[in-house]
Amino acid sequence: MATDIKLPELGEGVSEGELIKWLVQPGDSVKADQPIAEVMTDKATVEVPTPISGTVKELKFNPGQLVKVDAVMITLDASGAGATAKPVPASQELASKPVPAATSPANLREWSHDSGEIAGVG
């Protein structure tokens, strides 16, 4: 059974992204959550995962083209075992990465640093 995979929401206010490169080719077998493409937005470059397992049938865009959120990017043959839908936002990967603690005066005291020792970057 052919299943169309759409570009998921990539973040708040992001309506499209540029396809940088495909990480799969027609005929390749993919597993759920496997990255299938790299897409660059005005905020970040993200790997887009497939929500289901299957075999790549057709790539709908070429690298360099703009892809709108909810546009069909790829068609998979989802026949066989493991072809269950599991929606995963592309931004989930970014959300799961730890964010470093802010350098506040309290943190500097905790680390025994004087704020005068820290060079500004802005």
Side-chain angles (χ1 to χ4, degrees), residues 9 11 22 38-39 50 62 72 80 84 93 96-97 111-112 116 119:
E9 186 174 316
W22 287 109
E38 286 184 5
V39 175
T50 178
N62 293 317
V72 175
T84 56
E93 179 183 330
S96 66
K97 293 185 180 179
W111 299 326
S112 301

Side-chain angles (χ1 to χ4, degrees), residues 18-79:
E18 179 184 344
L19 177 63
I20 300 301
K21 70 177 178 177
W22 287 109
L23 302 176
V24 296
Q25 296 298 318
D28 289 354
S29 292
V30 294
K31 296 179 182 176
D33 299 329
Q34 178 179 334
I36 57 171
E38 286 184 5
V39 175
M40 181 175 61
T41 70
D42 57 342
K43 297 181 181 185
T45 299
V46 296
E47 289 185 337
V48 177
T50 178
I52 63 170
S53 298
T55 302
V56 177
K57 294 306 244 179
E58 183 180 3
L59 306 176
K60 303 287 188 174
F61 291 90
N62 293 317
Q65 288 184 298
L66 287 180
V67 182
K68 300 265 186 204
V69 169
D70 288 330
V72 175
M73 291 185 68
I74 190 171
T75 300
L76 296 180
D77 180 358
S79 301

